[in-house]
Amino acid sequence: MNGPVQPGMVVDPVVRPSGLGGFVFALLDLAIGGVAAGLALNEGFAAGKAAFATDAWRTTLAVTGIALSILAVVGLVRVAGGQPRTLTPGLRRRARLTGVVLMLVGVWLLACATVDAVARETVSFDSWTSPLFAAGGLYLVVIGLSLQLNVTRVLRKQQLEGGAGVPGTATIVGVSETGSSTETGPVMRLDLRIDVNGRVYEATEEKQADPSSLALFTPGATLDVLVDYVDPRVFRLDWKTWTAPSAGG
């Protein structure tokens, strides 16, 4: 099933500025980028703090520092100006690509600060720059990994929790164990048939089972569902509306 569940509607989650958190992340980017650019472009500042194996690596650090600084300034302007961002598929693709680049840069800086063999061949940090880039490299790796997540899906789930979606009906057509479990019971996979806005499609949901809820995982049972306006793979089941299978089913 492709396309919006609600015909004629294109509703993409909007990311609001993240306030203090956004400023903190932008300032961290600016600190790492500013120091990196300063070390590469100012020999006096770099004395006793960074040694470059070749001029090519000096240029690489300079470009890295300038790029991070620009990214930080853009972030600061966006947060300060309260500019929202709409998570379209194109923006998600760009975010994931940016995340890959940040991870590569982070791994490189971390290696330069902690692995002597890498430092000798590229950039060797000393004094306070060594712990700075060790921590900064790890930070960039974590940020890069976070950008690989499907943030759009998370935000759409949040919209559904707020009641924004198209109502429909879900029927449990199959139940199986995922192989995962928690202290209270196994995690079950539910195969569902969802009927929303006159369209029927198959979907799956995973739910933790415990002794009080095992009886709910019955093929043929129905319950209400709220489906995202645009992405039918994102939905919220209302277990309070669970109805047992009909006698004839």
Side-chain angles (χ1 to χ4, degrees):
M1 178 181 177
N2 297 316
V5 173
Q6 184 70 37
M9 292 196 69
V10 178
V11 182
D12 287 303
V14 174
V15 183
R16 296 295 175 185
S18 51
L20 180 59
F23 273 112
V24 170
F25 288 130
L27 289 175
L28 287 173
D29 291 339
L30 188 60
I32 297 170
V35 172
L39 292 172
L41 300 174
N42 189 320
E43 293 186 5
F45 178 58
K49 305 180 188 68
F52 301 90
T54 64
D55 287 339
W57 286 110
R58 181 187 296 274
T59 301
T60 300
L61 189 65
V63 171
T64 298
I66 292 171
L68 283 174
S69 298
I70 292 174
L71 184 67
V73 171
V74 170
L76 287 171
V77 170
R78 181 175 295 280
V79 174
Q83 302 174 19
R85 305 184 75 177
T86 303
L87 283 184
T88 61
L91 180 59
R92 184 189 169 205
R93 286 192 295 271
R94 292 193 297 273
R96 295 183 70 174
L97 178 59
T98 299
V100 170
V101 174
L102 289 178
M103 283 190 287
L104 292 174
V105 171
V107 169
W108 173 53
L109 293 178
L110 180 60
C112 288
T114 59
V115 182
D116 290 340
V118 175
R120 285 194 300 270
E121 297 298 325
T122 57
V123 184
S124 177
F125 296 116
D126 199 3
S127 185
W128 54 267
T129 62
S130 182
L132 171 68
F133 285 108
L138 183 59
Y139 157 77
L140 292 177
V141 170
V142 172
I143 294 299
L145 286 172
S146 70
L147 289 175
Q148 305 309 306
L149 301 176
N150 190 343
V151 181
T152 299
R153 187 180 181 88
V154 173
L155 291 174
R156 291 191 187 283
K157 283 280 191 181
Q158 291 178 355
Q159 287 183 329
L160 291 177
E161 292 298 328
V166 184
T169 302
T171 302
I172 300 175
V173 296
V175 180
S176 59
E177 292 191 19
T178 63
S180 301
S181 62
T182 65
E183 294 181 356
T184 57
V187 177
M188 308 299 289
R189 170 193 167 103
L190 304 177
D191 296 317
L192 305 167
R193 183 174 64 250
I194 296 180
D195 186 342
V196 57
N197 221 21
R199 305 171 72 177
V200 180
Y201 63 99
E202 306 296 324
T204 61
E205 176 83 336
E206 291 186 0
K207 182 173 175 59
Q208 176 185 318
D210 55 59
S212 64
S213 65
L214 279 174
L216 301 179
F217 302 152
T218 306
T222 60
L223 57 161
D224 291 347
V225 64
L226 196 63
V227 182
D228 180 70
Y229 292 113
V230 177
D231 189 347
R233 298 166 299 177
V234 181
F235 54 87
R236 180 173 66 84
L237 299 172
D238 185 356
W239 288 92
K240 294 179 181 179
T241 64
W242 183 90
T243 303
S246 60

